[in-house]
Amino acid sequence: MSKIVYVGMSGGVDSSLTAALLKQQGYEVTGVYMKNWSQDLPGFTCPWKEDYQDAKRVAVQLGIDFKLYDFETEYRQKVVDYMVGEYQAGRTPNPDVMCNQEVKFKLFLETALADGADMIATGHYARIKDGQLLTGLDGSKDQSYFLYRVTEDALRHSLMPIGELKKSVVRAEAKKLGLATADKPDSQGICFVGKVGIKDFLLAELGEQPHGDIIDQHGKLIGEHDGAIFYTIGQRHGLQVGGGLPFYVTGKDMAKNQVQVTTDLQDTKLWHQQFTITDVHWINCQPDLTKQYQARVRYRAALVPITLLALTKQGLQMTLGEEVRALTPGQSAVIYDGDRVVGGGIVTNH
RNA sequence: UGGGGCGUGGCCAAGUGGUAAGGCAUCAGUUUUUGGUACUGACAUUCGGGGGUUCGAAUCCCUCCGCCCCAG
């Protein structure tokens, strides 16, 4: 008897081909559209209906069952509230990491299993082998960074067939199969919410923010910002301050509602080598402090060799083999052992 | 009030007779399942106002306006 797989179908090419491939491989496939967000925002129409229809269209083409799971309430609580709270605290969260941890590989998994599935599948560019998470074979599309908070148990119940393919192949295969989504542009923006600028999103959630001072590396007042929460470390644009060299954000003082910037790209405040991550999560087992690993400090950043210093209740201290620019509190540092994701945590304030 | 200097797009800033560099910012696009980064493109018929000299001026002259510095 073939296994029953529930495939999360977002209405994009990747998850469409995922469903098609699993069907070909003999699984008993059901497509599921997760409705996590449907709210329109000023100047932005939520594309959920279109996405739903595209997913449904592909399901019909493939002749598979199709369902809609409504997770809006939970998505709001677990992802959006988390994200907004982090911004308010002066950090820069990664909602997609949380979405994978809480929604796709928890809520969706549990719901699917309860509905009779043996496994779930997603269109992520990552691979799963023996309960381990590996990078996607297409290095330029690898999405393992977003998945480091998934549990081994969830991985053992998940499939990510796209992780074995290159993006160009995915598109070509989708086209060959005549899938309705073959030429649909890749999605961008906040997971499930869509292509909305984070500033517009926060404005819609929180309203106008108190303006404050922009201070340069010499402590000089050089301008006014329209809300410290909108700015993130390393950011260059959006300061509306000109004259000479570009300004990069080096830090924020939420208590003083200040944004600190520098024109000096060598400024020590812009470069970091040693830091701590908290809320650590290990997929299979804790890292070996004596072993050489690599870390990725932001999505698509190069892997940097690291030395682990100490694993405490507070988190993990580590030193990078080289300085990285604009390490940002709230973002995730993911630890790799070659192409295997060991785990990671959240970069703390420093 | 004397003496000197300056006024070029939102901000810096080249250009001192030959028909407006460059950078920042901004906007658009590309890259990207977060934010950010990076990359590409767009952006002054006009040089504080007025007048004059000249084939031709942001560049020379006159004048008015504004700002800065030194004297006091």
Side-chain angles (χ1 to χ4, degrees):
Chain A
M1 172 132 174
S2 59
K3 285 205 167 183
I4 299 173
V5 179
Y6 276 36
V7 180
M9 295 178 72
S10 65
V13 232
D14 299 332
S15 55
S16 295
L17 188 70
T18 299
L21 292 177
L22 293 175
K23 171 105 193 291
Q24 283 178 358
Q25 290 168 21
Y27 288 97
E28 196 174 313
V29 177
T30 292
V32 178
Y33 179 82
M34 284 175 247
K35 186 185 170 206
N36 295 325
W37 186 266
S38 61
Q39 188 185 325
D40 292 338
L41 295 166
F44 164 81
T45 308
C46 178
W48 87 271
K49 264 185 184 163
E50 263 173 62
D51 291 340
Y52 169 82
Q53 283 170 353
D54 286 337
K56 171 89 186 182
R57 222 166 259 143
V58 172
V60 169
Q61 283 186 304
L62 296 175
I64 60 175
D65 287 342
F66 189 70
K67 298 186 178 208
L68 180 143
Y69 283 174
D70 188 338
F71 294 149
E72 280 205 76
T73 308
E74 295 88 342
Y75 184 78
R76 163 107 232 159
Q77 288 170 357
K78 302 288 189 184
V79 181
V80 178
D81 287 352
Y82 156 78
M83 181 174 89
V84 172
E86 285 289 290
Y87 272 109
Q88 285 182 299
R91 290 184 289 270
T92 306
N94 190 324
D96 291 357
V97 166
M98 195 53 70
C99 176
N100 284 323
Q101 172 185 299
E102 294 294 333
V103 179
K104 291 180 186 161
F105 293 93
K106 193 172 204 170
L107 191 56
F108 172 49
L109 174 63
E110 287 167 0
T111 309
L113 293 181
D115 279 353
D118 297 308
M119 304 190 83
I120 60 166
T122 63
H124 283 106
Y125 284 85
R127 293 168 294 155
I128 299 166
K129 203 156 88 186
D130 300 327
Q132 298 184 326
L133 178 65
L134 308 179
T135 58
L137 241 37
D138 185 340
S140 62
K141 289 296 292 185
D142 173 43
Q143 292 170 334
S144 59
Y145 176 85
F146 295 107
L147 296 165
Y148 79 97
R149 286 192 158 277
V150 172
T151 65
E152 176 175 340
D153 182 61
L155 290 174
R156 288 189 184 280
H157 288 89
S158 303
L159 297 167
M160 299 177 186
I162 295 299
E164 310 286 339
L165 306 176
K166 282 206 186 300
K167 180 77 193 194
S168 53
V169 175
V170 169
R171 278 236 120 89
E173 284 298 310
K175 200 167 269 190
K176 203 159 78 187
L177 294 173
L179 299 183
T181 52
D183 293 314
K184 192 171 171 181
D186 290 358
S187 69
Q188 293 172 352
I190 307 164
C191 159
F192 284 111
V193 176
K195 195 174 179 165
V196 208
I198 190 64
K199 189 166 179 177
D200 290 332
F201 186 81
L202 290 174
L203 275 173
E205 286 287 319
L206 300 171
E208 292 290 331
Q209 295 297 303
H211 293 202
D213 295 339
I214 301 177
I215 308 288
D216 76 5
Q217 67 264 46
H218 308 298
K220 191 175 150 215
L221 175 70
I222 58 152
E224 185 187 89
H225 69 250
D226 53 2
I229 62 168
F230 301 128
Y231 299 90
T232 190
I233 312 303
Q235 180 170 343
R236 164 179 178 170
H237 296 93
L239 293 169
Q240 316 216 310
V241 183
L245 296 165
F247 289 102
Y248 293 89
V249 175
T250 54
K252 304 197 281 185
D253 184 329
M254 297 309 283
K256 291 185 187 165
N257 194 24
Q258 268 182 5
V259 172
Q260 295 141 6
V261 299
T262 186
T263 51
D264 178 11
L265 271 175
Q266 308 305 316
D267 197 310
T268 54
K269 289 202 283 300
L270 255 188
W271 296 88
H272 308 269
Q273 193 155 23
Q274 197 178 111
F275 63 102
T276 303
I277 54 175
T278 57
D279 301 295
V280 293
H281 173 79
W282 310 114
I283 292 176
N284 305 294
C285 57
Q286 290 199 348
D288 175 354
L289 293 182
T290 64
K291 198 169 146 63
Q292 266 288 323
Y293 292 102
Q294 303 83 45
R296 178 167 282 149
V297 149
R298 58 162 54 73
Y299 178 52
R300 281 168 52 83
L303 285 172
V304 177
I306 51 168
T307 307
L308 305 183
L309 300 178
L311 187 53
T312 65
K313 277 193 285 292
Q314 285 73 41
L316 175 70
Q317 290 173 39
M318 58 176 118
T319 301
L320 296 166
E322 60 193 69
E323 293 191 312
V324 295
R325 191 167 159 270
L327 189 69
T328 307
Q331 291 286 291
S332 289
V334 178
I335 296 174
Y336 290 80
D337 179 10
D339 62 357
R340 181 175 73 90
V341 177
V342 179
I346 310 290
V347 176
T348 59
N349 299 309
H350 42 264

